Amino acid sequence: KLTQLAFSQLPGFAVLDMELRREGKSYTVDTIRELKAQYEHDELFLMMGTDMFLSFDTWHRFEDIFKLCTLVLIPRDFPDEKTRKEIEEKNRLYRENYGAKTEIIDVVPFPISSTEICRMIKNGEDYSMYVPKKIHDFIEERGLYR
């Protein structure tokens, strides 16, 4: 419900529960295949943070995922020199060895993590500046994360 509220005003986004409904193990490749079948004419993007991007080649059937969508890295913070080089090397490897389509988006980092927001809520601190009003109201109405 929180995810639905967060993305409800953003065009081009949909919140789906297909992985929750799937029995047994749920792999990203299966989800992307299902999405590709539903949205056959649309380009799909798989967005992730730095840790996931750097370890993507250990995922189940990652080579198939490269063929089905574009991998998008959105770092949480500005990477240090060592991490930046690791990202560049992995990006090169994914493109040259697997023909992957990748994008790296440079964004101004958001100054807080979800874990920190949950801690603030639990401690009764004001977190309203870090979440949309709809999310804040939903959390408060239901007493979540306390």
Side-chain angles (χ1 to χ4, degrees), residues 40-102:
E40 63 183 281
H41 299 294
D42 293 332
E43 187 175 359
L44 298 178
F45 298 88
L46 179 60
M47 295 182 265
M48 63 185 60
T50 304
D51 291 346
M52 297 263 189
F53 187 82
L54 293 176
S55 64
F56 191 77
D57 52 352
T58 65
W59 288 28
H60 177 73
R61 304 203 54 118
F62 71 93
E63 306 96 328
D64 293 340
I65 297 172
F66 284 143
K67 295 173 188 164
L68 296 167
C69 65
T70 298
L71 219 63
V72 180
L73 167 61
I74 306 173
R76 178 181 297 223
D77 53 22
F78 295 113
D80 59 30
E81 184 66 22
K82 178 181 180 257
T83 305
R84 191 180 58 71
K85 286 183 179 181
E86 289 176 26
I87 290 169
E88 289 172 2
E89 180 58 26
K90 278 291 185 174
N91 194 39
R92 185 191 63 71
L93 176 102
Y94 295 160
R95 286 172 172 260
E96 290 178 8
N97 291 7
Y98 303 104
K101 293 178 285 182
T102 60

Side-chain angles (χ1 to χ4, degrees), residues 98-145:
Y98 303 104
K101 293 178 285 182
T102 60
E103 296 288 337
I104 299 173
I105 298 179
D106 291 321
V107 295
V108 175
F110 199 68
I112 195 162
S113 69
S114 60
T115 302
E116 291 171 286
I117 293 171
C118 289
R119 181 198 50 76
M120 291 175 78
I121 296 168
K122 185 176 180 180
N123 293 335
E125 299 172 35
D126 181 16
Y127 63 97
S128 60
M129 67 199 81
Y130 298 115
V131 298
K133 182 172 179 1
K134 285 183 179 181
I135 301 294
H136 181 271
D137 293 348
F138 187 85
I139 291 170
E140 291 302 309
E141 288 167 8
R142 287 162 180 79
L144 302 178
Y145 305 108

